[in-house]
Amino acid sequence: MPKAVVLGGYGLIGSACMRALAQSGFDVVGLGRSHKAAEIADATAQWIIRDIPTISVAEWREILVNVDVVVNAAGALQDGLLDDLEAIHVTAIAQLAQAAADLPVRVIQISAAGVTEQSSTAFFRTKARGDAALMSSLQNCVILRPTLLLAPQAYGGTAVLRAAAAIPFVHPVVLPDAQIQTVHIDDVTAAVVLAANGKIPAGTIADLTEPEAQSLPDLIARIRAWQGWPTPRVSLRLPGVSLSATGRIADLLGLLGWRSPLRTTALRVLSDGVRGDPKAWDAAGGPPCRALEDTLRALPSTRQERLYARAYLALPIAIGVLALFWLLSGVIALFDAQRAMAVLEDQNAPRWMIAPSVIGGAVADVLLGLAILYRPWTKRAALGMMALSGAYLLGGLALAPALWSDPLGPMIKVFPGIVLALMVWLLVEDR
């Protein structure tokens, strides 16, 4: 049985490639840095848990023993807390190519349509340098460059498109001059399987894309119709300055571990257009990729699809509201601690508990408000918010029971915050 190793095997493309290769008769091993992500993607698969850029040439040679095919589906959109584009897209590929140069192994590189070393984004430039490093060191390789990927799973840019299409009552008109071509995930995995089986000539560099392009607003409108939403009542043209501000905010959040598909790199790629030319793929003997209408027809559009799109919109709002609420409640209490303590004094709470309760609670509020913004701590911060809210409710019952009957309902209003924190805890996935 031929053996294949898939780098980034728990990602959107990588996991689909692992399934397709296994169905085609390959013994498949996934490679990635997160054991938890690998278990979630496929607990029954074989995995090598390593941080790909740290693998040396000698270690690659050990990994590649008896391997027939390597598929590189690993990548990152932009430099961030956990991602280094140069290391992932260039250094790792150069080391892999050097190790594979003298071995009977074919390397299939999943790149991106339109990459050049003169591109406007570091993502495209590093991808292009990685492709060049592979081609210069290794003869038995195939480089596949998909356009905008559409799949049953929503991830990255396609998740944003789904969310934009699900905005109630409004059709966002954004980057109206951007021309976008798409490709179905099954067309990409079929191309990988053909290349893995040696049916695509070595040295092939080919875009994987539908033949025609559409504007970004038209693409969003067609996805909205596919999702089954009613025709929007308003078309809202978003100015370029709002997109620039969104990208800069998303970049800042990237420093906190959030891999937002709205970072400046993604917006610049969309602004430049996502275009490909299927001629090289046709010349290599590959089957044509399906058009957008056929892609949407082949993808399920269910209630789960619509709920996901709306939840994707709601989640960042929920996190932002919780962060603002907890930060403000803590800061206000710290700046006006005497007034806050007076509330407990009026309720005849024990004097020795008043100052520690107010100051300690305010500091905890601020810390939780900051912690929920840091991606690795978001779920734990949401749990902390629920726990501290419960402590406030119990403390109020013990120390200031009259607050429960206050006509303004300060204690009752804690419950919506608990539910909002619970929603965040349920919706945020661990990485």
Side-chain angles (χ1 to χ4, degrees):
M1 178 182 292
K3 184 175 182 179
V5 173
V6 179
L7 315 188
Y10 46 70
L12 176 61
I13 297 178
S15 59
C17 287
M18 287 185 66
R19 291 191 297 270
L21 288 166
Q23 291 168 3
S24 184
F26 282 80
D27 177 21
V28 183
V29 178
L31 196 158
R33 67 185 172 191
S34 172
H35 184 272
K36 187 167 187 177
E39 288 291 309
I40 291 172
D42 190 346
T44 64
Q46 303 175 67
W47 292 97
I48 299 172
I49 305 303
R50 289 293 306 274
D51 189 10
I52 295 171
T54 67
I55 302 175
S56 67
V57 173
E59 290 171 321
W60 273 120
R61 289 197 177 103
E62 293 179 6
I63 292 171
L64 297 179
V65 171
N66 297 323
V67 170
D68 300 281
V69 175
V70 175
V71 179
N72 178 32
L77 177 67
Q78 191 167 318
D79 289 322
L81 181 66
L82 299 175
D83 298 318
D84 182 335
L85 294 186
E86 187 72 21
I88 297 169
H89 294 162
V90 184
T91 305
I93 300 310
Q95 291 173 330
L96 168 62
Q98 185 179 344
D102 299 325
L103 297 174
V105 58
R106 165 166 282 199
V107 176
I108 303 168
Q109 164 91 326
I110 308 297
S111 185
V115 302
T116 70
E117 295 192 42
Q118 292 75 43
S119 296
S120 61
T121 66
F123 171 75
F124 272 11
R125 292 193 297 271
T126 54
K127 274 288 189 182
R129 291 201 297 274
D131 292 354
L134 190 63
M135 293 296 294
S136 64
S137 301
L138 193 63
Q139 292 184 342
N140 191 11
C141 64
V142 172
I143 296 176
L144 303 174
R145 293 174 168 173
T147 50
L148 183 67
L149 188 77
L150 295 181
Q153 301 89 349
Y155 187 83
T158 58
V160 171
L161 288 177
R162 284 164 152 94
I167 296 175
F169 313 118
V170 175
H171 171 60
V173 179
V174 55
L175 300 175
D177 297 326
Q179 294 294 302
I180 310 295
Q181 286 169 278
T182 65
V183 62
H184 192 291
I185 183 66
D186 288 351
D187 292 334
V188 175
T189 58
V192 168
V193 170
L194 285 174
N197 284 314
K199 296 181 180 179
I200 301 300
T204 295
I205 302 176
D207 295 338
L208 300 177
T209 181
E210 63 174 327
E212 303 298 329
Q214 50 274 313
S215 71
L216 183 57
D218 286 346
L219 177 58
I220 293 172
R222 291 165 82 173
I223 291 176
R224 184 184 184 95
W226 164 73
Q227 289 175 325
W229 301 113
T231 302
R233 298 180 182 178
V234 178
S235 290
L236 180 63
R237 189 182 183 97
L238 300 179
V241 65
S242 67
L243 284 181
S244 299
T246 299
R248 286 193 291 270
I249 292 171
D251 286 350
L252 290 174
L253 293 175
L255 299 176
L256 297 175
W258 294 95
R259 295 173 177 170
S260 171
L262 291 175
R263 284 174 286 177
T264 52
T265 293
L267 295 178
R268 193 172 296 120
V269 168
L270 286 175
S271 179
D272 292 343
V274 182
R275 302 293 301 271
D277 186 345
K279 290 179 182 177
W281 180 240
D282 295 339
C289 298
R290 68 196 82 187
L292 175 62
E293 291 301 325
D294 295 325
T295 291
L296 294 177
R297 196 175 296 116
L299 294 175
S301 179
T302 62
R303 183 169 180 267
Q304 292 94 314
E305 174 71 41
R306 291 185 286 276
L307 284 175
Y308 172 85
R310 289 280 169 87
Y312 194 89
L313 284 172
L315 181 59
I317 296 173
I319 292 173
V321 167
L322 284 171
L324 186 63
F325 170 77
W326 284 82
L327 281 169
L328 286 179
S329 66
V331 168
I332 290 171
L334 288 173
F335 272 92
D336 199 357
Q338 292 298 323
R339 186 176 176 185
M341 288 187 282
V343 174
L344 293 180
E345 290 172 353
D346 292 343
Q347 300 297 321
N348 297 317
R351 296 186 63 84
W352 65 270
M353 293 186 64
I354 292 176
S357 297
V358 170
I359 302 300
V363 171
D365 287 357
V366 170
L367 293 177
L368 286 172
L370 293 173
I372 201 169
L373 295 174
Y374 183 55
R375 179 65 177 82
W377 294 350
T378 298
K379 292 196 73 167
R380 282 173 283 182
L383 281 176
M385 289 173 176
M386 287 186 279
L388 191 55
S389 295
Y392 286 153
L393 292 174
L394 292 175
L397 190 63
L399 301 177
L403 290 176
W404 283 88
S405 59
D406 190 300
L408 295 179
M411 306 306 288
I412 302 301
K413 291 174 182 175
V414 175
F415 288 99
I418 294 176
V419 173
L420 195 62
L422 176 62
M423 187 190 85
V424 170
W425 182 78
L426 289 171
L427 292 181
V428 171
E429 291 187 328
D430 286 321
R431 274 184 173 168

